[in-house]
Amino acid sequence: MTPPFSEYMEWAKTRSQARFNLASSGVEAFALAELPVRLEDLEITGPSFYGWPPLQERLARKAGVEPDRVMAATGTSMANFLVLAAVASAGDEVLVEEPTYTLLVDAARWLGLEVRRFPRRAGDAFRVDPEEVERALTPRTRLVVLTNLHNPSSAFVPADDLRRIGAAAREAGARVLVDEVYLESLAVLGRKADSAVHLGPEFVVTSSLTKAYGLSGLRCGWAVADAELVRRMWRLNDLFGVVPAHPAERLSVIALDHLDRVAARARRLLETNRAVANRFLAGRAELECAPVDGGTIAFPRLRRGTVESLCERLRARYETTVVPGRFFGAEDHFRLSLGCAPATLEGGLERLARALDEAS
Ligand SMILES: Cc1ncc(COP(=O)(O)O)c(C=O)c1O
């Protein structure tokens, strides 16, 4: 099948499952039983039309904006889709980082947008070079799209670089979408994780509770933008569902009210895994990867042999999966989870080491 379907998403849903699944990108699932939920806190149907006010309030407080600048959405996925659809129309140009989370490109193409790319180079630690963005902008560009932290590498984009990109976009009459779903994992580690939305009116950000907190099933995502764009996205969202699943909204409010507890568990897991993964990556001469500083994923380059055959061997002999770099247009790389259960990471890395030994 050709686009508009997402080859990556089908692979992720049907082929990434394994005993040692190192292909996931978020923190291991947080269990409902760990949240103080009482049956009387839940209800099936409620007054949520353009947002359920208690959820809107919490998301706005978290983002540091007024509620009319926040739109609750079905995951970062829907938030991204709505931003693309509300900002650009068929035939418009969007400028998307490469490599990136491929769904951003797949969704843009499905909307009939012309997708141009700007590079984030492995040799430059996947940094965003604002000059590359400036050069690639044209009068037809409606939106610049990037991820921070970067999927697949976890590279951090500093505020100064974002400001330069914002200024260039504004001059070109474009906006900047920053998908911050992995930025939350810096916040979890207690590090500075300021959202780009405060850098200027041209910025639109999206995020969710999925990756850093292990709360994927809540589908608690959001977009933050100027109030007018938010209104437009609410109206667009009418096309996809009358109202959200209200029990999920209620559970999201409970999770947001106890986010410290959820974050504490994620912090322990990420700190343990980061140390283990960095030790492993530094000790394998056939892999090239800057030490991971934060985030839930790493993106090493395989210096010898092909990633496809490594992935085959891992799956066939070692019950282990990683994400092949071809999904990111980087065939000599693969993506590795730092968010899985520590025992899964240790077991998977042990098997990865054996598969690498066999190849050499
Ligand atoms: C950059 C990025 N954005 C969005 C998503 C989807 O997030 P959500 O589960 O919040 O829809 C992913 C999932 O892998 C992602 O990597």
Side-chain angles (χ1 to χ4, degrees):
M1 262 190 281
T2 52
F5 305 104
S6 169
E7 200 199 336
Y8 165 71
M9 191 50 80
E10 196 222 14
W11 179 89
K13 288 180 177 176
T14 61
R15 312 254 300 281
S16 72
Q17 271 59 267
R19 182 166 163 220
F20 298 96
N21 180 352
L22 305 188
S24 59
S25 55
V27 164
E28 180 82 348
F30 189 88
L32 177 62
E34 301 295 317
L35 280 179
V37 178
R38 301 165 308 168
L39 196 56
E40 56 267 38
D41 295 330
L42 298 180
E43 194 43 83
I44 291 173
T45 305
S48 47
F49 301 106
Y50 292 111
W52 186 46
L55 180 56
Q56 284 293 116
E57 263 164 46
R58 269 122 179 130
L59 294 177
R61 203 180 319 138
K62 181 163 167 32
V65 297
E66 292 300 315
D68 65 350
R69 293 193 56 200
V70 179
M71 178 190 178
T74 311
T76 319
S77 309
M78 193 55 156
N80 284 338
F81 184 84
L82 291 169
V83 174
L84 286 163
V87 167
S89 311
D92 283 343
E93 201 175 274
V94 287
L95 186 54
V96 186
E97 65 181 8
E98 182 166 34
T100 196
Y101 176 56
T102 64
L103 271 289
L104 288 163
V105 172
D106 296 332
R109 293 211 169 112
W110 188 77
L111 286 165
L113 310 181
E114 193 178 311
V115 179
R116 298 184 66 232
R117 312 300 295 269
F118 66 91
R120 298 182 66 162
R121 295 192 170 81
D124 198 15
F126 294 101
R127 193 176 79 85
V128 173
D129 179 351
E131 260 176 46
E132 299 260 21
V133 180
E134 284 162 7
R135 265 201 300 276
L137 278 162
T138 80
R140 291 178 47 228
T141 312
R142 295 270 65 83
L143 192 65
V144 177
V145 182
L146 57 98
T147 55
N148 189 26
L149 309 180
H150 184 214
N151 183 1
S153 71
S154 288
F156 172 69
V157 188
D160 281 349
D161 291 343
L162 287 169
R163 265 193 214 98
R164 275 187 63 186
I165 293 166
R170 194 173 347 143
E171 211 179 321
R175 294 181 194 252
V176 184
L177 165 60
V178 186
D179 177 328
E180 296 184 339
V181 73
Y182 297 101
L183 194 64
E184 296 284 330
S185 65
L186 279 195
V188 156
L189 292 172
R191 307 251 291 277
K192 203 166 143 52
D194 297 337
S195 169
V197 80
H198 303 294
L199 297 178
E202 61 278 12
F203 284 95
V204 181
V205 304
T206 54
S207 192
S208 78
L209 297 183
T210 295
K211 303 291 175 189
Y213 303 100
L215 294 169
S216 171
L218 290 179
R219 301 284 79 215
C220 178
W222 60 89
V224 188
D226 60 86
E228 196 187 319
L229 183 61
V230 166
R231 270 195 301 278
R232 201 171 149 76
M233 291 193 289
W234 279 123
R235 296 294 301 274
L236 248 175
N237 194 51
D238 284 342
L239 303 181
F240 298 98
V242 176
V243 289
H246 189 57
E249 292 182 304
R250 294 221 170 214
L251 285 169
S252 297
V253 162
I254 294 169
L256 285 160
D257 287 345
H258 297 89
L259 208 54
D260 284 354
R261 179 188 300 191
V262 186
R265 172 258 189 186
R267 179 165 55 245
R268 285 192 297 276
L269 184 147
L270 287 175
E271 277 173 352
T272 305
N273 283 356
R274 187 156 46 103
V276 168
N278 279 339
R279 212 174 312 124
F280 175 86
L281 292 166
R284 297 299 313 199
E286 45 304 62
L287 300 181
E288 184 183 325
C289 189
V292 182
D293 190 31
T296 59
I297 44 183
F299 199 50
R301 183 172 85 83
L302 182 67
R303 292 182 206 262
R304 285 190 305 272
T306 71
V307 165
E308 286 301 323
S309 52
L310 176 66
C311 291
E312 273 305 303
R313 203 173 321 122
L314 279 172
R315 170 177 267 297
R317 291 195 207 157
Y318 295 110
E319 303 173 277
T320 301
T321 50
V322 295
V323 184
R326 71 183 155 91
F327 290 119
F328 303 93
E331 308 220 334
D332 54 351
H333 286 68
F334 60 92
R335 201 188 69 188
L336 200 62
S337 166
L338 307 188
C340 56
T344 304
L345 183 66
E346 297 233 10
L349 291 181
E350 229 172 76
R351 283 155 179 82
L352 175 56
R354 277 192 258 155
L356 289 169
D357 286 342
E358 267 173 32
S360 57

